[in-house]
Amino acid sequence: MVEQRDQSCGMAKAWEATLRKTQAAAKKRAHSIFGSTSISHVNDDFIDNEASTHHHRGSDSIEPVPVEKFLPNGDYYVGQWYEYCPHGHGKYLWTDGCMYLGEWFRGQAIGKGRFSWPSGAIYEGEFKSGYMDGKGAYTGPEGDGYKGFWVMNMKHGYGVMTYENGDLYDGEWRHGVQEGQGKYQWRNGNCFVGEWRNGVISGPGVMVWANGNCFEGYWFDSLPNGEGIFKWDNGCYYEGNWSRDPNNMSGSYHCPESESSHQENWDPQELYNEILSECKVCANEKITVFPSQKKLAAWKSQKGTDSRARPARMSVDSRITTGGHMLDSEGSFSSEGSHRRNSDSGRDGDLDGLSLDNCTSFRMGPGTPGKPLRIPKVGKKQGETITRGHKNFELMLNLQLGIRHAVGRPAPPTSLDLKSSAFDPKEKVWTKFPSEGSKYTPPHSSCEFKWKDYCPLVFRALRKLFKVDAADYMLSICGNEALRELSSPGKSGSFFYLSSDDRYMIKTIKKTEVKVLLRMLSAYYNHVRAFENTLVTKFFGLHCVKLTGTIQKKVRFIIMGNLFCTEHTIHRRFDLKGSSLGRSTDKPEEELDASTILKDLDLNFIFRLQKSWFQDFCRQVDRDCEFLEQERIMDYSLLVGLHFREASKAGDLIPSGSRTPNGCDEQESDQGAPRLSKVDMDQLLIDPAWWASVRLGINMPAQVERAVRKMEGESQVLEPIGEYYDVVMFFGIIDILQDYDISKKLEHAYKAMQYDATSISAVDPKLYSKRFRDFIFKIFAEDA
């Protein structure tokens, strides 16, 4: 028994050794990703360097002066001051009891500082642009605490969390929750060491109980799921496949001959029902107000103004309000009342809440530096609803009947571990749908047809892997609402249909594309299973409708996820391949709108991602391109959608940090149109539900930098001009079913005789992958 307990302890120690190595690497990464350099005092060099990055420039030499201010609203500030805001080192005390003591730069908390709440909670560490960002320690009012790395008010990177009940977590974090390798130690002596995902135990790991028992294996949603072994301290163990559903449990017991075998009658479900009930992970603390949300009371500069000027209100991250208007650190004004109205009445859940229906469209392309960009006009919902009398009405009915039958058909629980036979291209199921109905199919008003399911077990497993509920899936595609057909077929001649809730896109495909997908299906399944953040298209089903009678027509469908299924309005769409021949929009300027898909030569932005996101993005693009290259796929593209967070009432996009919405001077800014308050964005960033919806390529906060297209030798290059816009980004790799077959080889040979061979789309998959990656890594960059 002692020997077995030593074995369990040894196993836990081995996991801890692995964890320590991971944490050391995480610390190193965190230092490189988030920076640990602190600023004890803001010196002149730092001020000059920072000032050079701002659009608004004050005097050539910034000399803050020491002040003590009793502000009209009751707030108190003592420290260094420049013009109308704290600048240097100082202490600010709010009337509600909150206090910040530390470094300032033009009204922003930047560098080292200490923020305390009236509840007794304290954060001490690094700040960037008013946010807790960098290395820092938080102590809660009840004694709980976190020490580690932060990004934009959230725990992100390596850190240690101690909970008020005595529990402790030591490991990696992402966007405020545990993610990566981590160790959780319960107060009662139980301990888990292993993988975490989105705040719960998920992946390989080992749980050791205080009594010496342990479980080593795979977990999902904090429960054993998959292969694993449960060991007792006397050497007996149960090994097998674990599941919360008893029907999916399978395994066997083993005991040393010297030990009694009383465990043979043990029910494995006892692990779920009783043993794990005392291993609950504590919820993370809720911080209701962050430093970046606190407003300052500050005076505007007295130079050239009436000394009786009404004092302004400014937030820690440099947003100033004066009267009923908002003024940022560069002098841009907006109406707070309008902010509230826009936020409350935002159409379709848009953050900006602006009515875009009457906004003027714009022509994409090189653009003119200094000329404001405009939000394009937003038309009605995409696509034509397929109603009775539409030429494809019966085809839609057939499709809905077939999917309802295929998905709703009773089947044993789906396992993600599929046999190779499930991927056999001959693995297909035919079903006949007579109009009068049959033993297995309902009567219907459409013509008689046959329905084919390709590799049904694989696509059922894919839907489970992508967390698609069968009932929701059927309701989206086969509910009372009709599908919508997009107005025109794509370049390939395929037609596209959207489900009523925009979650799914249905595309008609050629027989050759079906063959390509079936050929690569096993590799595709393994790829998306291995990389949950993959950017390649998600496939949910592959079907065929065969109309009987004189027509004898076959229509093949692939069902995919819609990348732009979001409450945000997608203001700009780009389809990017890295080639230049024919890669521009041929529509006249007056016909462009928010649904227009722009191409490589229309691009006039550099996409900037936060450092950790950018690193994840680069790694995933490499993985996805390697997979496509191995499968001999080419002609794919990166589809990018942008939702701009801030726009004026007139429809002009507002650069982040711009002086005014129209670039006018401070005297004219009183006439500026309302802009979205950054306070609203702060509230959004701390919303756990919002962060849960954020992942690589989906709902990502980012910035885009405006660029102009210039000639460099014989090629065009994008040159950034330093004009930034806050956006929500969506992107993914689409059109991954084009094989480099004989037709593409002939196209390459023909076009290469007329044009530069490197500029055409039809090239060898290896060259295509390299060119695609080179291009993508030029237009995506780290947001410094």
Side-chain angles (χ1 to χ4, degrees):
M1 188 181 298
V2 173
E3 183 181 348
Q4 291 299 324
R5 188 180 296 109
D6 291 342
Q7 274 186 333
S8 297
C9 292
M11 183 165 51
K13 287 178 180 177
W15 273 94
E16 288 193 44
T18 303
L19 176 62
R20 281 195 294 271
K21 290 179 183 178
T22 306
Q23 289 173 349
K27 287 179 180 178
K28 189 175 180 181
R29 285 200 307 271
H31 278 275
S32 64
I33 292 173
F34 311 118
S36 58
T37 304
S38 61
I39 303 170
S40 58
H41 292 282
V42 181
N43 57 39
D44 293 338
D45 291 337
F46 175 75
I47 292 172
D48 292 339
N49 290 336
E50 284 292 310
S52 67
T53 65
H54 285 67
H55 295 292
H56 173 63
R57 298 174 186 265
S59 60
D60 294 333
S61 177
I62 298 177
E63 296 180 0
V65 295
V67 299
E68 181 179 16
K69 286 183 177 289
F70 294 91
L71 302 167
N73 67 336
D75 293 355
Y76 170 78
Y77 175 79
V78 59
Q80 292 175 298
W81 189 273
Y82 177 73
E83 288 190 344
Y84 55 81
C85 58
H87 186 85
H89 191 276
K91 177 172 71 174
Y92 194 101
L93 180 65
W94 285 267
T95 54
D96 64 2
C98 291
M99 184 180 75
Y100 173 76
L101 171 65
E103 299 302 319
W104 303 82
F105 181 81
R106 293 187 179 276
Q108 291 184 329
I110 292 179
K112 266 196 169 183
R114 185 176 189 268
F115 189 94
S116 60
W117 287 262
S119 64
I122 296 171
Y123 169 83
E124 190 163 7
E126 294 177 334
F127 287 81
K128 293 178 186 173
S129 301
Y131 294 94
M132 299 184 291
D133 199 308
K135 192 174 182 180
Y138 171 84
T139 304
E142 304 299 329
D144 53 324
Y146 169 82
K147 188 174 183 180
F149 289 88
W150 302 72
V151 168
M152 292 183 75
N153 295 333
M154 299 229 229
K155 297 184 280 286
H156 191 107
Y158 170 74
V160 178
M161 179 79 192
T162 55
Y163 297 90
E164 57 179 289
N165 69 347
D167 292 358
L168 178 142
Y169 173 81
D170 183 346
E172 293 186 275
W173 300 76
R174 186 176 182 84
H175 300 317
V177 295
Q178 299 94 329
E179 178 135 355
Q181 279 285 333
K183 173 185 175 182
Y184 194 98
Q185 182 78 48
W186 281 269
R187 180 182 54 180
N188 59 12
N190 299 340
C191 176
F192 171 83
V193 181
E195 283 284 334
W196 295 72
R197 187 172 298 167
N198 200 28
V200 297
I201 298 170
S202 187
V206 57
M207 176 84 78
V208 179
W209 282 267
N211 61 9
N213 297 342
C214 72
F215 175 86
E216 179 184 5
Y218 285 86
W219 300 71
F220 178 75
D221 199 18
S222 295
L223 296 174
N225 187 285
E227 294 296 320
I229 178 171
F230 183 88
K231 293 183 179 181
W232 287 270
D233 60 350
N234 63 0
C236 296
Y237 63 93
Y238 176 91
E239 183 176 19
N241 185 70
W242 295 75
S243 173
R244 188 70 179 86
D245 183 354
N247 296 324
N248 292 337
M249 272 301 284
S250 62
S252 56
Y253 299 91
H254 304 273
C255 273
E257 294 181 2
S258 60
E259 294 289 342
S260 62
S261 57
H262 65 274
Q263 275 89 8
E264 288 185 5
N265 297 322
W266 181 72
D267 181 5
Q269 289 297 308
E270 189 178 319
L271 178 62
Y272 297 94
N273 300 329
E274 298 179 23
I275 299 176
L276 285 171
S277 62
E278 57 188 42
C279 298
K280 301 294 183 185
V281 175
C282 289
N284 294 315
E285 81 291 338
K286 301 292 183 183
I287 302 176
T288 55
V289 177
F290 285 94
S292 58
Q293 292 176 289
K294 294 297 294 179
K295 290 184 178 180
L296 314 184
W299 265 282
K300 196 171 178 294
S301 174
Q302 301 296 312
K303 297 176 182 178
T305 62
D306 187 351
S307 60
R308 295 170 297 175
R310 190 175 174 181
R313 296 275 296 165
M314 182 167 59
S315 73
V316 179
D317 55 357
S318 80
R319 297 182 304 276
I320 305 170
T321 60
T322 176
H325 295 81
M326 179 74 75
L327 168 69
D328 68 10
S329 62
E330 312 303 338
S332 298
F333 283 80
S334 64
S335 165
E336 287 193 298
S338 297
H339 295 160
R340 289 190 289 270
R341 289 194 296 273
N342 287 341
S343 298
D344 294 341
S345 61
R347 184 174 53 82
D348 294 333
D350 285 355
L351 297 177
D352 47 51
L354 294 172
S355 175
L356 305 176
D357 295 325
N358 299 319
C359 290
T360 308
S361 65
F362 62 94
R363 176 70 172 114
M364 292 298 300
T368 304
K371 183 179 180 181
L373 293 178
R374 296 180 63 78
I375 287 183
K377 58 185 177 183
V378 178
K380 60 182 181 180
K381 209 169 185 180
Q382 270 191 291
E384 175 190 1
T385 302
I386 303 175
T387 56
R388 188 173 297 277
H390 191 283
K391 63 179 181 179
N392 288 325
F393 179 71
E394 286 197 349
L395 186 61
M396 180 194 73
L397 292 183
N398 297 344
L399 175 67
Q400 291 178 323
L401 283 167
I403 291 176
R404 190 180 292 119
H405 172 76
V407 178
R409 185 170 52 228
T414 306
S415 171
L416 295 180
D417 298 316
L418 299 175
K419 297 178 180 178
S420 58
S421 59
F423 298 94
D424 190 335
K426 296 178 181 178
E427 189 70 17
K428 48 188 96 165
V429 178
W430 277 103
T431 305
K432 190 175 182 179
F433 282 79
S435 300
E436 65 276 10
S438 68
K439 183 179 179 180
Y440 303 104
T441 63
H444 56 89
S445 58
S446 180
C447 61
E448 183 177 308
F449 68 96
K450 285 186 177 180
W451 174 264
K452 184 195 289 187
D453 275 328
Y454 296 90
C455 299
L457 284 179
V458 178
F459 286 102
R460 190 180 288 267
L462 282 171
R463 291 194 292 271
K464 180 178 180 180
L465 185 66
F466 296 142
K467 298 179 175 59
V468 173
D469 180 75
D472 290 342
Y473 182 70
M474 284 195 291
L475 191 63
S476 293
I477 301 174
C478 313
N480 295 328
E481 298 292 331
L483 302 178
R484 301 198 312 278
E485 182 180 77
L486 298 189
S487 56
S488 61
K491 187 177 179 181
S492 64
S494 299
F495 281 86
F496 293 86
Y497 303 90
L498 283 171
S499 61
S500 58
D501 58 4
D502 288 341
R503 290 177 63 186
Y504 302 103
M505 183 171 283
I506 302 165
K507 178 186 177 184
T508 63
I509 60 175
K510 300 173 183 177
K511 186 177 181 179
T512 53
E513 292 176 297
V514 172
K515 288 182 177 180
V516 170
L517 179 55
L518 293 177
R519 185 201 72 204
M520 63 183 280
L521 190 56
S522 177
Y524 171 83
Y525 181 80
N526 291 330
H527 182 77
V528 298
R529 189 178 180 188
F531 305 110
E532 67 170 352
N533 283 330
T534 181
L535 299 175
V536 299
T537 307
K538 288 181 169 57
F539 294 131
F540 302 109
L542 180 61
H543 314 286
C544 176
V545 170
K546 181 181 179 182
L547 304 178
T548 59
T550 57
I551 303 177
Q552 293 290 314
K553 179 184 178 183
K554 282 187 179 179
V555 184
R556 299 169 181 86
F557 297 93
I558 184 75
I559 301 177
M560 310 174 289
N562 178 16
L563 184 64
F564 295 155
C565 177
T566 172
E567 292 181 343
H568 302 315
T569 299
I570 302 298
H571 297 135
R572 296 194 180 179
R573 304 162 193 251
F574 295 94
D575 182 271
L576 306 170
K577 291 186 177 184
S579 57
S580 57
L581 183 62
R583 299 296 296 161
S584 62
T585 304
D586 54 5
K587 284 186 178 182
E589 181 176 345
E590 59 274 10
E591 292 183 16
L592 295 180
D593 58 26
S595 64
T596 301
I597 297 181
L598 302 152
K599 300 179 183 178
D600 300 62
L601 296 180
D602 301 312
L603 183 64
N604 61 343
F605 291 115
I606 301 296
F607 307 115
R608 298 197 173 275
L609 307 181
Q610 188 266 334
K611 188 167 187 176
S612 60
W613 279 122
F614 179 68
Q615 292 178 334
D616 290 347
F617 170 76
C618 292
R619 281 193 295 266
Q620 196 57 55
V621 167
D622 280 334
R623 291 165 179 160
D624 290 339
C625 287
E626 286 167 7
F627 157 68
L628 295 171
E629 182 183 329
Q630 289 168 4
E631 295 303 313
R632 301 288 296 166
I633 302 297
M634 44 78 66
D635 214 24
Y636 45 87
S637 56
L638 187 75
L639 184 63
V640 179
L642 302 178
H643 168 82
F644 288 88
R645 289 177 178 169
E646 300 186 67
S648 71
K649 206 168 188 178
D652 291 338
L653 296 178
I654 302 176
S656 56
S658 64
R659 292 187 62 188
T660 71
N662 296 309
C664 51
D665 61 28
E666 191 171 303
Q667 283 73 24
E668 298 170 323
S669 61
D670 284 300
Q671 306 302 320
R675 63 180 295 181
L676 177 68
S677 168
K678 198 173 178 184
V679 175
D680 297 333
M681 286 307 305
D682 290 342
Q683 192 60 47
L684 185 65
L685 289 170
I686 64 172
D687 179 8
W690 185 80
W691 273 109
S693 70
V694 177
R695 60 183 178 81
L696 188 65
I698 301 294
N699 216 30
M700 286 181 60
Q703 277 199 328
V704 294
E705 182 179 5
R706 193 176 178 184
V708 294
R709 194 171 293 278
K710 293 190 175 183
M711 293 301 297
E712 190 174 277
E714 296 182 357
S715 60
Q716 293 188 32
V717 295
L718 281 174
E719 183 177 293
I721 62 173
E723 190 175 293
Y724 298 86
Y725 298 87
D726 292 325
V727 296
V728 178
M729 284 192 74
F730 301 80
F731 51 80
I733 297 175
I734 63 169
D735 294 338
I736 64 169
L737 298 181
Q738 180 57 61
D739 190 16
Y740 192 53
D741 55 15
I742 187 63
S743 66
K744 286 295 177 181
K745 290 177 181 177
L746 290 173
E747 180 186 341
H748 172 80
Y750 174 73
K751 289 186 176 179
M753 291 188 294
Q754 305 176 65
Y755 308 102
D756 179 6
T758 61
S759 70
I760 59 180
S761 294
V763 294
D764 176 84
K766 188 171 184 178
L767 175 58
Y768 191 95
S769 172
K770 182 181 184 304
R771 185 180 66 186
F772 178 81
R773 280 187 270 189
D774 288 345
F775 176 68
I776 294 302
F777 295 149
K778 284 179 182 176
I779 62 172
F780 278 80
E782 178 190 324
D783 186 0

